[in-house]
Amino acid sequence: SSVLDQISVAYQARQLVSSAGRLSSLAAMGNCFQGFGGGPDLRPKTPKQGFKVCVCGGAGGIGQPLCLLMALDPRVWELSVYDLTIAMVPAEGIGTDLGHIERKCKVKAYSLDTTQKPVDHLRDCLTGCSLVLVPVGVPSKGRTKSDLLKINANIAKSIVEACAQYCPDAIVGLIVNPLNSIVPAMAKLYEKAGKNPAKIVGITSLDAVRANKFVHEETGCPIERVSVPVVGGYSGTLSGPSAVALFSQDSAARNMTPARTAELMQRVQDAGSEVVDAKKGKGSSTLSMAYAAARFSHAVLSGLSGVRTEESAFVKTDVYPGVDFFSTKVTFGPNGVEQAHPVGKLTEKEQAQLNLAVKTLQDDIKDGLAYAQNTDLARPASRP
């Protein structure tokens, strides 16, 4: 048979394996990119069940590539793109552009002025959503932690209160700094409003993505066989290190020298600055974060489809003593977050690092809960 026939047979076989839920999260992510060559027969098969997803901040640096990845995902049948009218690229332009991609996904854009509240105007945008992704907020450069928290918590709150009103059962995936404080703040506001705080999830996949790539480069182990858990909080924080890569729990990484392990641990913590420096201060980790958020989204949508899938996430949990919120491997299922997994066996050095991380995390969580104590989610002022 021809090479094309062999590729087609291999692709169909992989689709069958995927439908049985036996593909890993990383391997299944590759399905998004089928159809880039080889003719229409190699486009991914549309599954029997699809979902509506919204990207808030969809015209931003993370939002645009994330919208593209969502539009390519066969499980996304509807995509809402929301941003402010002051965005450099109008949300309507992003929606029209993505609407030309050969997927089942129907794309619709929404934009609001800065004086308009999402809770008053995003009924159509959010109604029916199973997943809302929120890459929003001002950058940390030149701001204190308290200033950044106040500004970005207010921005996140404006979206979260609209989700509570129009899609309270949706998973709300936050990419808003300082994440270690924003997630507890928004979860507490959800709880105060009588909603399920487990629906508020911090997207921390990028730390694990980076750890995997660094180990692959260091050891030469095939990337699909590398899986380094990263626990604690999120690395991109002004408070200090809170994310701990557990290299000892990966078969390839545990063979690295102690010195190299320590260097890569630090590199995971500093990876965001590495990108900012390479972009000469003109940008941050927008593309890798969009990929990590798409990986998170794949896990959520797979779970909602009935294929339970694990992914790193920052959630409300008592899985680790001393903190009520923690980033660890989470199983996503038909109802969203099903289980936050224990950290497992640690080396002495990893335990020492995690002890320090928890101290930072405790302060960050306290700041977030303090914000939530003094405010509540707004309800619509009038029918949108």
Side-chain angles (χ1 to χ4, degrees):
S1 60
S2 68
V3 172
L4 182 57
D5 289 338
Q6 294 177 32
I7 294 174
S8 180
V9 170
Y11 171 72
Q12 292 174 34
R14 194 164 80 171
Q15 287 295 312
L16 290 173
V17 172
S18 179
S19 65
R22 293 191 292 269
L23 270 180
S24 70
S25 178
L26 285 176
M29 270 298 296
N31 290 345
C32 295
F33 304 100
Q34 294 292 339
F36 278 16
D41 289 343
L42 291 185
R43 285 175 297 203
K45 182 179 179 181
T46 302
K48 294 181 179 180
Q49 183 182 12
F51 302 93
K52 181 178 179 180
V53 174
C54 178
V55 178
C56 298
I62 298 171
Q64 286 197 45
L66 181 53
C67 284
L68 172 60
L69 291 169
M70 290 298 93
L72 287 170
D73 192 319
R75 288 191 176 92
V76 180
W77 288 6
E78 292 184 64
L79 177 64
S80 293
V81 180
Y82 160 66
D83 215 316
L84 298 174
T85 55
I86 60 173
M88 290 187 66
V89 179
E92 290 75 11
I94 306 301
T96 300
D97 198 356
L98 293 174
H100 293 174
I101 292 176
E102 50 182 352
R103 292 292 191 270
K104 179 181 176 64
C105 184
K106 178 182 179 182
V107 186
K108 187 172 182 179
Y110 302 83
S111 57
L112 299 180
D113 294 331
T114 55
T115 58
Q116 295 176 297
K117 294 182 178 181
V119 74
D120 292 331
H121 298 279
L122 292 186
R123 177 190 293 270
D124 291 342
C125 174
L126 294 171
T127 297
C129 281
S130 298
L131 172 64
V132 179
L133 301 168
V134 189
V136 301
V138 299
S140 59
K141 185 177 181 180
R143 293 182 173 86
T144 65
K145 176 190 169 186
S146 59
D147 287 342
L148 184 67
L149 173 58
K150 183 177 180 180
I151 294 170
N152 283 351
N154 287 338
I155 294 171
K157 175 179 173 290
S158 70
I159 295 170
V160 167
E161 62 195 8
C163 293
Q165 188 67 33
Y166 303 122
C167 55
D169 294 328
I171 292 291
V172 181
L174 297 178
I175 311 173
V176 189
N177 282 326
L179 193 73
N180 294 348
S181 299
I182 296 291
V183 171
M186 298 303 113
K188 185 62 177 179
L189 289 175
Y190 241 48
E191 189 174 32
K192 289 172 66 177
K195 309 301 180 184
N196 184 358
K199 298 296 182 181
I200 305 295
V201 181
I203 299 178
T204 56
S205 304
L206 183 54
D207 287 334
V209 165
R210 286 166 166 164
N212 290 343
K213 184 59 177 286
F214 299 161
V215 169
H216 161 69
E217 292 177 331
E218 176 68 19
T219 66
C221 181
I223 188 66
E224 62 271 16
R225 288 166 52 188
V226 180
S227 182
V228 179
V230 180
V231 301
Y234 178 57
S235 64
T237 175
L238 297 176
S239 306
S242 66
V244 180
L246 305 181
F247 293 112
S248 68
Q249 294 185 14
D250 178 79
S251 59
R254 72 169 63 105
N255 293 322
M256 298 187 301
T257 65
R260 193 62 182 135
T261 298
E263 290 174 359
L264 291 190
M265 174 69 75
Q266 189 62 44
R267 190 182 177 196
V268 170
Q269 292 288 350
D270 297 338
S273 297
E274 185 178 312
V275 175
V276 171
D277 291 344
K279 292 185 176 182
K280 301 187 183 303
K282 297 179 181 179
S284 58
S285 306
T286 53
L287 301 176
S288 55
M289 177 57 85
Y291 166 78
R295 201 179 94 157
F296 165 85
S297 302
H298 169 79
V300 172
L301 298 180
S302 294
L304 294 176
S305 299
V307 181
R308 288 173 172 79
T309 307
E310 290 183 10
E311 182 55 69
S312 298
F314 186 56
V315 296
K316 180 176 174 60
T317 177
D318 60 1
V319 73
Y320 197 83
V323 287
D324 294 327
F325 292 83
F326 198 75
S327 181
T328 186
K329 285 187 176 181
V330 172
T331 296
F332 291 93
N335 297 313
V337 174
E338 288 195 345
Q339 180 185 5
H341 297 273
V343 298
K345 186 178 180 180
L346 308 180
T347 65
E348 289 186 8
K349 287 187 176 181
E350 288 170 345
Q351 184 64 68
Q353 289 170 326
L354 187 53
N355 291 342
L356 292 174
V358 166
K359 292 180 180 180
T360 298
L361 195 53
Q362 287 172 333
D363 290 339
D364 289 346
I365 293 170
K366 182 179 178 181
D367 291 340
L369 295 179
Y371 169 88
Q373 185 176 359
N374 299 315
T375 187
D376 293 291
L377 299 181
R379 296 178 60 84
S382 60
R383 186 177 178 84

Coordinates of all heavy atoms in Angstrom, one line a residue, residues 1-41:
S1 N 0.8 -1.2 0.0 CA 0.0 0.0 0.0 C 0.9 1.2 0.0 O 2.0 1.2 0.4 CB -0.9 0.0 1.2 OG -0.1 0.0 2.4
S2 N 0.3 2.4 -0.4 CA 1.0 3.6 -0.4 C 1.3 4.2 0.9 O 0.7 3.8 1.9 CB 0.3 4.7 -1.2 OG -0.9 5.0 -0.5
V3 N 2.3 5.1 1.0 CA 2.6 5.7 2.3 C 1.3 6.4 2.8 O 1.0 6.4 4.0 CB 3.7 6.7 2.1 CG1 3.9 7.6 3.4 CG2 5.0 6.0 1.7
L4 N 0.6 7.1 2.0 CA -0.7 7.8 2.4 C -1.7 6.8 3.0 O -2.3 7.1 4.0 CB -1.3 8.5 1.2 CG -2.6 9.3 1.5 CD1 -2.2 10.3 2.6 CD2 -3.1 10.0 0.3
D5 N -1.8 5.6 2.4 CA -2.7 4.6 2.9 C -2.3 4.1 4.3 O -3.1 4.0 5.2 CB -2.8 3.4 2.0 CG -3.5 3.7 0.7 OD1 -4.3 4.6 0.7 OD2 -3.2 2.9 -0.3
Q6 N -1.0 4.0 4.5 CA -0.4 3.5 5.8 C -0.7 4.6 6.8 O -1.1 4.3 8.0 CB 1.1 3.3 5.7 CG 1.4 2.1 4.8 CD 2.9 1.9 4.7 OE1 3.6 2.2 5.6 NE2 3.4 1.5 3.5
I7 N -0.5 5.9 6.4 CA -0.8 7.0 7.4 C -2.3 7.0 7.8 O -2.6 7.2 8.9 CB -0.4 8.3 6.8 CG1 1.1 8.4 6.6 CG2 -0.8 9.5 7.7 CD1 1.6 9.6 5.9
S8 N -3.1 6.8 6.7 CA -4.6 6.8 7.0 C -5.0 5.7 7.9 O -5.8 5.9 8.9 CB -5.3 6.7 5.7 OG -6.7 6.7 5.9
V9 N -4.5 4.5 7.7 CA -4.8 3.4 8.6 C -4.3 3.6 10.0 O -5.0 3.4 11.0 CB -4.1 2.1 8.0 CG1 -4.3 1.0 9.1 CG2 -4.8 1.7 6.7
A10 N -3.1 4.2 10.1 CA -2.5 4.5 11.4 C -3.4 5.5 12.2 O -3.6 5.4 13.4 CB -1.1 5.0 11.3
Y11 N -3.8 6.5 11.4 CA -4.6 7.6 12.0 C -6.0 7.0 12.5 O -6.4 7.3 13.7 CB -4.9 8.7 11.0 CG -5.9 9.7 11.6 CD1 -5.6 10.6 12.6 CD2 -7.2 9.7 11.1 CE1 -6.5 11.4 13.1 CE2 -8.1 10.6 11.6 CZ -7.8 11.4 12.6 OH -8.7 12.3 13.1
Q12 N -6.6 6.2 11.7 CA -7.9 5.6 12.1 C -7.7 4.7 13.4 O -8.6 4.7 14.2 CB -8.5 4.7 11.0 CG -8.9 5.6 9.8 CD -9.3 4.8 8.6 OE1 -9.9 3.7 8.8 NE2 -9.1 5.2 7.4
A13 N -6.6 4.0 13.4 CA -6.3 3.1 14.6 C -6.2 4.0 15.8 O -6.7 3.7 16.9 CB -5.1 2.3 14.3
R14 N -5.5 5.1 15.7 CA -5.3 6.0 16.8 C -6.6 6.6 17.3 O -6.8 6.8 18.5 CB -4.3 7.1 16.5 CG -3.8 7.8 17.7 CD -2.6 8.6 17.5 NE -2.9 9.9 16.9 CZ -2.0 10.9 16.7 NH1 -0.8 10.7 17.1 NH2 -2.4 12.0 16.2
Q15 N -7.5 6.9 16.3 CA -8.8 7.4 16.7 C -9.6 6.4 17.6 O -10.2 6.8 18.5 CB -9.6 7.8 15.5 CG -9.1 9.0 14.8 CD -9.3 10.3 15.6 OE1 -10.4 10.5 16.2 NE2 -8.3 11.1 15.7
L16 N -9.5 5.1 17.2 CA -10.2 4.1 17.9 C -9.6 4.0 19.4 O -10.3 3.8 20.3 CB -10.0 2.7 17.2 CG -10.8 2.6 15.9 CD1 -10.5 1.3 15.2 CD2 -12.3 2.7 16.2
V17 N -8.3 4.1 19.5 CA -7.6 4.0 20.8 C -8.1 5.2 21.6 O -8.4 5.1 22.8 CB -6.1 4.0 20.6 CG1 -5.4 4.1 22.0 CG2 -5.7 2.7 20.0
S18 N -8.1 6.4 21.0 CA -8.5 7.6 21.7 C -9.9 7.5 22.2 O -10.2 7.8 23.3 CB -8.4 8.8 20.7 OG -8.8 10.0 21.4
S19 N -10.9 6.9 21.4 CA -12.2 6.8 21.8 C -12.4 5.8 23.0 O -13.3 5.9 23.8 CB -13.1 6.3 20.7 OG -12.8 5.0 20.3
A20 N -11.5 4.9 23.1 CA -11.5 4.0 24.3 C -10.8 4.6 25.5 O -10.8 4.0 26.5 CB -10.8 2.7 23.9
G21 N -10.3 5.8 25.3 CA -9.7 6.5 26.5 C -8.3 6.0 26.9 O -7.9 6.2 28.0
R22 N -7.6 5.3 25.9 CA -6.3 4.8 26.3 C -5.1 5.6 25.9 O -4.0 5.3 26.1 CB -6.2 3.4 25.7 CG -7.1 2.4 26.4 CD -6.8 1.0 26.0 NE -7.0 0.7 24.6 CZ -8.2 0.3 24.1 NH1 -9.2 0.0 24.9 NH2 -8.3 0.0 22.8
L23 N -5.4 6.8 25.2 CA -4.3 7.7 24.9 C -4.0 8.6 26.0 O -4.8 9.0 26.8 CB -4.7 8.6 23.7 CG -4.4 8.0 22.3 CD1 -4.9 9.0 21.2 CD2 -3.0 7.7 22.1
S24 N -2.7 8.9 26.2 CA -2.3 9.9 27.2 C -2.8 11.2 26.8 O -3.1 11.5 25.6 CB -0.8 9.9 27.3 OG -0.2 10.5 26.2
S25 N -2.8 12.2 27.7 CA -3.3 13.5 27.5 C -2.4 14.2 26.4 O -2.9 14.9 25.5 CB -3.2 14.3 28.8 OG -3.6 15.7 28.5
L26 N -1.1 14.0 26.5 CA -0.2 14.6 25.6 C -0.4 14.1 24.2 O -0.4 14.8 23.2 CB 1.3 14.4 26.0 CG 1.7 15.3 27.2 CD1 3.1 14.9 27.6 CD2 1.7 16.7 26.9
A27 N -0.5 12.8 24.0 CA -0.6 12.2 22.7 C -1.9 12.6 22.1 O -2.0 13.0 20.9 CB -0.6 10.7 22.8
A28 N -3.0 12.7 22.9 CA -4.3 13.1 22.3 C -4.3 14.5 21.9 O -5.0 14.9 21.0 CB -5.4 12.9 23.4
M29 N -3.5 15.4 22.5 CA -3.4 16.8 22.1 C -3.0 16.9 20.6 O -3.4 17.8 19.9 CB -2.4 17.5 23.0 CG -3.0 18.2 24.2 SD -4.2 19.4 23.8 CE -3.1 20.6 22.9
G30 N -2.2 15.9 20.1 CA -1.8 15.9 18.8 C -2.9 15.9 17.8 O -2.8 16.3 16.6
N31 N -4.1 15.3 18.2 CA -5.2 15.3 17.3 C -5.7 16.6 16.8 O -6.2 16.7 15.7 CB -6.4 14.6 18.0 CG -6.2 13.1 18.3 OD1 -5.3 12.6 17.7 ND2 -7.0 12.5 19.1
C32 N -5.4 17.7 17.5 CA -5.8 19.0 17.1 C -5.1 19.4 15.8 O -5.7 20.2 15.0 CB -5.3 20.1 18.1 SG -6.2 19.9 19.7
F33 N -4.0 18.8 15.5 CA -3.2 19.3 14.4 C -3.3 18.3 13.2 O -2.6 18.5 12.2 CB -1.7 19.5 14.8 CG -1.6 20.4 15.9 CD1 -1.5 20.0 17.2 CD2 -1.8 21.8 15.7 CE1 -1.4 20.8 18.3 CE2 -1.7 22.7 16.8 CZ -1.5 22.2 18.0
Q34 N -4.1 17.3 13.3 CA -4.3 16.4 12.1 C -5.0 17.3 11.0 O -5.8 18.1 11.3 CB -5.2 15.2 12.5 CG -4.6 14.3 13.5 CD -3.4 13.5 12.8 OE1 -3.3 13.4 11.6 NE2 -2.5 13.0 13.7
G35 N -4.7 17.0 9.8 CA -5.3 17.7 8.7 C -4.5 18.8 8.2 O -4.9 19.6 7.3
F36 N -3.3 19.0 8.7 CA -2.4 20.1 8.2 C -1.8 19.7 6.9 O -1.2 20.5 6.2 CB -1.3 20.4 9.2 CG -1.8 21.4 10.3 CD1 -3.1 21.6 10.5 CD2 -0.9 22.0 11.1 CE1 -3.6 22.5 11.5 CE2 -1.3 22.9 12.1 CZ -2.6 23.1 12.3
G37 N -1.9 18.4 6.5 CA -1.3 17.9 5.3 C -1.9 16.5 5.0 O -2.4 15.8 5.8
G38 N -1.9 16.2 3.7 CA -2.3 14.8 3.3 C -3.7 14.7 2.9 O -4.2 13.6 2.7
G39 N -4.4 15.8 2.8 CA -5.8 15.8 2.3 C -6.8 15.7 3.3 O -6.6 15.5 4.5
P40 N -8.1 15.9 2.9 CA -9.2 16.0 3.9 C -9.5 14.7 4.7 O -10.0 14.8 5.8 CB -10.4 16.3 3.0 CG -10.0 15.9 1.6 CD -8.6 16.1 1.5
D41 N -9.1 13.6 4.2 CA -9.3 12.3 4.9 C -8.6 12.3 6.2 O -8.9 11.4 7.0 CB -8.9 11.1 4.0 CG -9.9 10.9 2.9 OD1 -11.0 11.5 2.9 OD2 -9.5 10.2 1.9

